[in-house]
Amino acid sequence: MKTCNVLILCVIIGLMTIPAVSAEKQDSENANTKVILDSTGQDYIVSPWVENSSDTENCISSLRSTQYISQGQTITHYVGVGSGVNYLEVDLNWGDTSDSLTLSVYTPSGSKVGTYRDNYDGSVNGRICLDIYPSQGYVEQGTWQFKVYGESVSGSQSYTLNIYQR
């Protein structure tokens, strides 16, 4: 009986030492919430949000860009993030569900946070809305990249990208 208890205790301790997040990011497309570890050791929790909070008074700063994109085209948006930013709120809106855009997000250190599609939040509505939270501390300072890709576009598609620093 004593040997069995020691064995169970060893298994429990062994399981507790396995890291919750692997250093090599698995890019699981469109999971509801995922944790990403970037090259600086900072991990981010990405989750969808359904409604735009439109509370711009509590924003540190924001980016609003309206563009047109074609099939196979990638447009990169650069956003400078300063100190003391708790999280990023991202809203890519094109509204036309017959066209498909993707959004890839990169940290200033070059780590890919992920690639997101219209159905990331569970509905197809011509919009990708997500929050990017650091698991601890603040969002990494520097220039973030947001790459919009015309995955399946008929002709030309307009879109608006809003990024709020909260």
Side-chain angles (χ1 to χ4, degrees):
M1 187 66 160
K2 196 175 198 181
T3 305
C4 183
N5 288 341
V6 171
L7 181 61
I8 290 172
L9 184 60
C10 288
V11 169
I12 290 172
I13 292 172
L15 288 174
M16 290 175 30
T17 61
I18 297 172
V21 177
S22 171
E24 181 180 333
K25 180 184 94 56
Q26 297 295 319
D27 192 20
S28 59
E29 301 290 332
N30 301 325
N32 276 343
T33 301
K34 62 182 178 178
V35 178
I36 291 87
L37 183 68
D38 76 5
S39 62
T40 65
Q42 173 71 288
D43 50 339
Y44 291 94
I45 300 165
V46 180
S47 61
W49 56 272
V50 178
E51 302 228 4
N52 189 353
S53 73
S54 71
D55 178 16
T56 56
E57 290 181 23
N58 292 329
C59 289
I60 294 174
S61 66
S62 64
L63 165 82
R64 180 178 179 92
S65 178
T66 301
Q67 301 279 332
Y68 287 88
I69 196 164
S70 303
Q71 170 69 35
Q73 183 181 13
T74 299
I75 299 175
T76 304
H77 300 269
Y78 300 93
V79 177
V81 174
S83 63
V85 175
N86 292 311
Y87 70 98
L88 300 175
E89 186 176 274
V90 181
D91 181 9
L92 174 62
N93 189 347
W94 64 99
D96 183 354
T97 58
S98 66
D99 287 336
S100 177
L101 305 183
T102 66
L103 176 67
S104 296
V105 180
Y106 297 85
T107 67
S109 58
S111 295
K112 185 176 184 180
V113 174
T115 297
Y116 306 92
R117 290 185 167 75
D118 188 5
N119 63 348
Y120 180 71
D121 63 359
S123 68
V124 177
N125 57 1
R127 193 171 187 186
I128 301 169
C129 300
L130 50 97
D131 289 330
I132 303 170
Y133 288 91
S135 64
Q136 58 185 342
Y138 296 106
V139 173
E140 182 181 349
Q141 294 181 50
T143 304
W144 285 67
Q145 292 183 34
F146 298 85
K147 294 184 178 187
V148 179
Y149 173 68
E151 184 173 54
S152 177
V153 178
S154 185
S156 178
Q157 176 63 57
S158 67
Y159 70 86
T160 301
L161 177 64
N162 291 300
I163 301 168
Y164 301 99
Q165 300 178 40
R166 305 224 180 242

